[in-house]
Amino acid sequence: MSESSFEKTNLSWQLGQLQQRVEEWWELKTAQNIPNVKLPSWFDSPILWAIAKAAFWLILALLAVWASWQIWQLSRFYIHNFKKRNQTTDGSAKQTIKDLSVAEWFLRSQKLQQQGKYRQACRCLYMAALQRLNDTGTAIDQPSRTDGEYLQLIEQLPQPAPYETLIKIHQQLYFGNREASVSTFEECQQAYQQIKD
């Protein structure tokens, strides 16, 4: 056989060399620190070293599994909170525009307003306005359509201001830091009445 057909090195051999160096270093350090202590003969047993290696790798594997589990739990927590933050808290948000008529959205807003749920009541008026846009063919409902896209679509209307008011208040309530109040609802209701008339 030629010389080039033999392996000159491999990973297993390199790991063995590294282990031997670590063992020699450990012997040197322990021998310097405890010069008069002799270890029992059974301590050099190959069986003991095999058990120690197995225990080391088992502990390392358990630590890796535990760390992976912690990372998974933490990521699930953040994903859950991110989804929860992006979802609205009222039942009307789960409905799409096509699920209810304009009148049904309006009635729902009145009920929510009576319960003091002004944020959800404003959203129902917003949804009624979007339903009206859908019904008239001005802006056909698409789940991916944003408020910004609706603002562009309503520019062609003769009276876009009431729609703009509802859309902007919706943005501020759900994506900004505006607090819903009686006056907020009244502003939405006034804009909706202008659309309706």
Side-chain angles (χ1 to χ4, degrees), residues 93-111:
K94 294 175 185 163
Q95 306 241 282
T96 64
I97 291 172
K98 294 176 186 171
D99 288 341
L100 298 174
S101 69
V102 174
E104 290 169 324
W105 281 117
F106 180 74
L107 287 174
R108 187 174 280 198
S109 76
Q110 299 305 300
K111 287 179 186 174

Side-chain angles (χ1 to χ4, degrees), residues 21-34:
R21 286 186 193 133
V22 169
E23 288 173 2
E24 289 172 356
W25 174 84
W26 180 254
E27 284 180 34
L28 179 65
K29 289 295 177 190
T30 56
Q32 289 174 349
N33 294 336
I34 314 169

Side-chain angles (χ1 to χ4, degrees), residues 156-172:
Q156 63 189 0
L157 295 173
Q159 298 259 342
Y163 285 103
E164 286 176 5
T165 300
L166 285 168
I167 292 170
K168 287 180 179 175
I169 289 174
H170 176 262
Q171 284 179 323
Q172 293 165 358

Side-chain angles (χ1 to χ4, degrees), residues 2-194:
S2 68
E3 186 180 323
S4 62
S5 65
F6 291 108
E7 278 188 12
K8 293 190 170 126
T9 185
N10 65 31
L11 185 60
S12 176
W13 181 81
Q14 289 176 344
L15 288 174
Q17 289 296 311
L18 179 62
Q19 180 183 351
Q20 184 178 349
R21 286 186 193 133
V22 169
E23 288 173 2
E24 289 172 356
W25 174 84
W26 180 254
E27 284 180 34
L28 179 65
K29 289 295 177 190
T30 56
Q32 289 174 349
N33 294 336
I34 314 169
N36 295 330
V37 174
K38 291 206 173 206
L39 296 173
S41 60
W42 58 265
F43 195 74
D44 287 334
S45 166
I47 295 171
L48 183 63
W49 277 109
I51 292 170
K53 285 181 195 175
F56 170 77
W57 288 111
L58 179 65
I59 291 168
L60 195 62
L62 289 173
L63 283 172
V65 168
W66 176 82
S68 300
W69 178 254
Q70 294 300 317
I71 291 168
W72 168 251
Q73 291 295 322
L74 194 61
S75 65
R76 280 186 50 208
F77 172 76
Y78 282 112
I79 290 168
H80 173 73
N81 282 345
F82 178 76
K83 286 180 182 176
K84 190 174 180 183
R85 194 173 357 130
N86 288 336
Q87 291 174 346
T88 54
T89 56
D90 61 304
S92 64
K94 294 175 185 163
Q95 306 241 282
T96 64
I97 291 172
K98 294 176 186 171
D99 288 341
L100 298 174
S101 69
V102 174
E104 290 169 324
W105 281 117
F106 180 74
L107 287 174
R108 187 174 280 198
S109 76
Q110 299 305 300
K111 287 179 186 174
L112 289 166
Q113 182 264 336
Q114 290 169 0
Q115 296 169 8
K117 298 178 179 178
Y118 302 113
R119 184 173 189 247
Q120 294 92 329
C122 289
R123 179 169 172 80
C124 288
L125 291 174
Y126 161 84
M127 295 296 281
L130 296 187
Q131 181 64 50
R132 188 175 288 277
L133 290 173
N134 182 67
D135 293 349
T136 59
T138 306
I140 304 300
D141 176 44
Q142 294 175 357
S144 63
R145 188 165 280 161
T146 64
D147 286 342
E149 291 171 320
Y150 278 113
L151 287 171
Q152 289 175 350
L153 290 168
I154 62 170
E155 286 176 358
Q156 63 189 0
L157 295 173
Q159 298 259 342
Y163 285 103
E164 286 176 5
T165 300
L166 285 168
I167 292 170
K168 287 180 179 175
I169 289 174
H170 176 262
Q171 284 179 323
Q172 293 165 358
L173 288 174
Y174 283 85
F175 305 106
N177 56 2
R178 184 170 180 173
E179 291 294 323
S181 64
V182 175
S183 62
T184 309
F185 176 75
E186 287 171 355
E187 191 178 348
C188 288
Q189 193 166 26
Q190 185 178 9
Y192 181 75
Q193 289 300 330
Q194 291 172 10

